Amino acid sequence: MGLGALTDGLAPTPPMGWNSWNHFGPFVSDQLVRETADALIESGMRDAGYRYVVVDDAWEGSVRSDDGNLEPNLWRFPNMHGLASYLHARELSYGLYTCAGDRTCQGYPGSRSREFVDARRFASWDVDFMKIDWCHSGGLDARTAYETWSEAIRATRRPMVLSICEWGRNRPWRWAGSVGHLWRTSGDIADRWDSVMDILDRQAALAEFAGPDHWNDPDMLEVGNGGMTDAEYRAHFSLWAILAAPLFAGNDIRTMSDATRAILIAPEVIAVDQDRLGRQGQRVSRERDVEVWVRELDGGARAVVLLNRGESAARAEVTWDLLGGSRADTALVRDLWERQDIGPRREGYDRTVAPHSAAMLRATRDNSARA
Ligand code: GLA
């Protein structure tokens, strides 16, 4: 845990929800958000834990109002508070974006030197989650700027999750734990396998900085956006879960396939992500294209991802010494995607993993076998 990390109970497990950016880019509207909210409920995603509905960039009008406030684009968002009420009535929460710099990444008015006014504005709309971006921030010190945001939010007296989005430029894991609830650790994800692998590698050294109320954020999910196979999306989702990453679906919930839905609501994979101990998983072995990632869970079991990054099928093996026990242990192994027990295994477990795929397991030390 980072020094003085937040413990305000607003994000005891990694926040989950939906964010408009990855699929819709700047094409956001009140209607899209309402339809997405309905689809989150209909699909079972809300009940699986996806609670924050986050409107990213391009909700803004092109200028501030005469009294200096941020205004929505009124054609697209005629009633911000009404939209919040729509979400709250459905047990969803409302997330909204702005930027720490002069302008947002899409060129709308930014919040530089208006942090207190804008946080108050967001609070007046009953916003629950603020994503603060970093475009056009020349001359600002990241830590100081986000500390100002944290104070501005506190001054509103409305609890709002603070999502820091400076793309990992200023090593936020070293300071952001006492400032915000989640912080991006990389540039923007793309809907491609190499992007997922690239971001994954950037997380390997960051596990010690994450914990309840303060999470590393490897960016929003691309599951269901069409650029990867379902096996690749399952691997992406497995990895984000073992990393204790915030899970923000970034696809069109209204039209997603059954296969996409099955990935996004996989209960035993989500349970790993949301494990209350809040330990981020780590890479414990890497041999050519095959990696083993392990996460300690509440109660002592371990979640395991066997990842094959390569272009051909490969044998992947986890031995129980890699889980912190002894190689001679016996563990009960369960497949978290198949939701099936594999059974007790001595020393370890191995399986063939298809190219660009992952298996996800839970291993629980079998005390009866040791007696
Ligand atoms: C940046 C952020 C993205 C998204 C866009 C919006 O690139 O990193 O997540 O918010 O801006 O313009």
Side-chain angles (χ1 to χ4, degrees), residues 349-364:
Y349 174 75
D350 71 273
R351 94 148 60 147
T352 299
V353 182
H356 290 196
S357 298
M360 191 160 189
L361 314 164
R362 194 179 63 225
T364 313

Side-chain angles (χ1 to χ4, degrees), residues 140-281:
L140 285 179
D141 171 67
R143 180 174 184 165
T144 311
Y146 285 103
E147 278 171 355
T148 303
W149 276 105
S150 164
E151 282 168 37
I153 290 175
R154 251 197 316 275
T156 70
R157 299 187 174 276
R158 181 173 176 82
M160 291 189 269
V161 170
L162 173 53
S163 164
I164 294 174
C165 179
E166 56 74 86
W167 318 308
R169 291 270 174 87
N170 302 277
R171 299 173 174 257
W173 43 89
R174 292 182 178 273
W175 48 265
S178 59
V179 182
H181 302 91
L182 58 160
W183 53 86
R184 286 272 299 278
T185 55
S186 69
D188 289 5
I189 194 170
D191 189 12
R192 291 191 320 262
W193 179 251
D194 62 329
S195 170
V196 170
M197 292 300 105
D198 177 57
I199 291 181
L200 176 69
D201 288 335
R202 294 169 193 275
Q203 313 312 309
L206 304 183
E208 65 180 287
F209 301 103
D213 294 317
H214 53 283
W215 307 101
N216 288 305
D217 176 7
D219 206 0
M220 296 147 333
L221 297 164
E222 291 284 8
V223 175
N225 278 334
M228 290 184 251
T229 65
D230 286 338
E232 290 172 327
Y233 284 138
R234 261 194 301 279
H236 171 23
F237 198 71
S238 307
L239 290 162
W240 264 227
I242 207 142
L243 289 171
L247 296 179
F248 283 88
N251 59 315
D252 187 344
I253 308 299
R254 303 166 306 173
T255 59
M256 67 184 164
S257 67
D258 290 345
T260 295
R261 174 175 173 272
I263 295 170
L264 290 171
I265 66 170
E268 299 190 18
V269 180
I270 291 179
V272 170
D273 182 74
Q274 296 290 300
D275 181 76
R276 58 194 287 260
L277 194 57
R279 290 270 163 82
Q280 178 172 326

Side-chain angles (χ1 to χ4, degrees), residues 5-236:
L6 287 182
T7 50
D8 61 9
L10 274 187
T13 60
M16 294 175 66
W18 172 85
N19 176 300
S20 54
W21 184 255
N22 282 354
H23 189 85
F24 295 95
F27 302 105
V28 285
S29 67
D30 178 282
Q31 187 183 344
L32 169 67
V33 176
R34 287 175 195 243
E35 288 176 7
T36 299
D38 294 348
L40 285 169
I41 296 166
E42 177 94 352
S43 62
M45 280 180 65
R46 180 196 60 187
D47 293 343
Y50 296 85
R51 198 177 111 205
Y52 292 98
V53 179
V54 184
V55 182
D56 209 283
D57 203 353
W59 62 268
E60 308 90 342
S62 51
V63 290
R64 284 179 181 265
S65 66
D66 292 343
D67 56 4
N69 270 316
L70 277 182
E71 283 285 18
N73 173 330
L74 289 167
W75 292 103
R76 294 177 175 191
F77 291 94
N79 182 350
M80 290 300 257
H81 192 262
L83 183 54
S85 303
Y86 187 88
L87 297 173
H88 291 150
R90 287 159 181 77
E91 292 175 52
L92 291 163
S93 298
Y94 188 23
L96 200 56
Y97 162 106
T98 188
C99 183
D102 293 312
R103 277 172 288 123
T104 74
C105 297
Q106 293 297 300
Y108 293 95
S111 292
R112 189 197 293 229
S113 356
R114 312 284 181 101
E115 294 85 1
F116 283 78
V117 175
D118 291 351
R120 232 178 4 251
R121 182 76 159 151
F122 277 41
S124 78
W125 287 331
D126 286 350
V127 166
D128 306 293
F129 177 110
M130 293 183 70
K131 171 174 172 180
I132 311 292
D133 212 345
W134 194 238
C135 280
H136 307 290
S137 59
L140 285 179
D141 171 67
R143 180 174 184 165
T144 311
Y146 285 103
E147 278 171 355
T148 303
W149 276 105
S150 164
E151 282 168 37
I153 290 175
R154 251 197 316 275
T156 70
R157 299 187 174 276
R158 181 173 176 82
M160 291 189 269
V161 170
L162 173 53
S163 164
I164 294 174
C165 179
E166 56 74 86
W167 318 308
R169 291 270 174 87
N170 302 277
R171 299 173 174 257
W173 43 89
R174 292 182 178 273
W175 48 265
S178 59
V179 182
H181 302 91
L182 58 160
W183 53 86
R184 286 272 299 278
T185 55
S186 69
D188 289 5
I189 194 170
D191 189 12
R192 291 191 320 262
W193 179 251
D194 62 329
S195 170
V196 170
M197 292 300 105
D198 177 57
I199 291 181
L200 176 69
D201 288 335
R202 294 169 193 275
Q203 313 312 309
L206 304 183
E208 65 180 287
F209 301 103
D213 294 317
H214 53 283
W215 307 101
N216 288 305
D217 176 7
D219 206 0
M220 296 147 333
L221 297 164
E222 291 284 8
V223 175
N225 278 334
M228 290 184 251
T229 65
D230 286 338
E232 290 172 327
Y233 284 138
R234 261 194 301 279
H236 171 23

